[in-house]
Amino acid sequence: MIDRGSPVPSVGVKLVSADGATDTTSDAILGTGLVAFFAVPGAFTPTCHVNHLPGFVANEAKLRAAGVERIVCATVNDHHVVKAWAEVSGALGKIDFIADGNAELAEALGLMKDFSASGMGLRYARSAMLIRDGIVGAVFVEDAPGVNASGAPAILMALEAAYN
């Protein structure tokens, strides 16, 4: 797993934003300013859709007030599914999304988790990071089901403690 102080890897991904989907690299998305990055096992999956993403949407203004310049969500889904999820959730335009369809960024970050037993294959472990200018400042990985360590409230507390 990526450690505090490590640079974010450069992996080809699709950026899904209000402007559409574009081919880019993870370091281009995560490498400038203070970024609140969170990763979910899958778009539209119950915990991701009902608990994890909505917390970041609801706390967008607070995160920005705390100095976050970009909020980014990554998931191992194709960019069509990710765009539909962003639109339905009301997150498009507030949060940028990384469609990591082949789990290459998940693997490069050391955050890949095998969900094959539930028919989902390789996905992200539910997690979050604070990244400043491409360097990981903090990593939060859930050690049990649910959203606690990687949710927006935990990120806000970490921002208050470490970055203010």
Side-chain angles (χ1 to χ4, degrees):
M1 178 172 37
I2 196 163
D3 293 318
R4 182 175 192 228
S6 298
V8 294
S10 181
V11 176
V13 295
K14 288 198 181 286
L15 173 65
V16 179
S17 67
D19 297 328
T22 55
D23 291 321
T24 187
T25 60
S26 52
D27 59 328
I29 299 168
L30 304 171
T32 303
L34 180 57
V35 178
F37 170 82
F38 66 106
V40 299
F44 293 110
T45 58
T47 302
C48 305
H49 186 66
V50 175
N51 298 99
H52 209 168
L53 177 59
F56 281 90
V57 173
N59 285 287
E60 178 211 5
K62 289 179 183 177
L63 288 161
R64 297 205 189 275
V68 170
E69 296 166 58
R70 192 171 205 176
I71 305 167
V72 180
C73 176
T75 185
V76 178
N77 293 103
D78 68 74
H79 65 282
H80 302 290
V81 169
V82 173
K83 185 166 190 278
W85 185 43
E87 289 172 343
V88 166
S89 66
L92 201 59
K94 298 175 182 176
I95 295 173
D96 290 330
F97 290 81
I98 291 176
D100 185 18
N102 295 322
E104 293 171 5
L105 180 57
E107 183 176 15
L109 292 169
L111 293 171
M112 191 174 345
K113 186 172 179 179
D114 190 350
F115 286 88
S116 295
S118 60
M120 292 175 52
L122 300 173
R123 302 289 181 120
Y124 278 93
R126 187 175 309 285
S127 54
M129 291 183 209
L130 288 169
I131 303 165
R132 185 181 294 279
D133 295 324
I135 304 298
V136 176
V139 181
F140 311 91
V141 180
E142 298 293 346
D143 58 4
V147 179
N148 294 301
S150 66
I155 300 306
L156 283 165
M157 287 192 315
L159 283 165
E160 185 176 300
Y163 289 96
N164 290 327

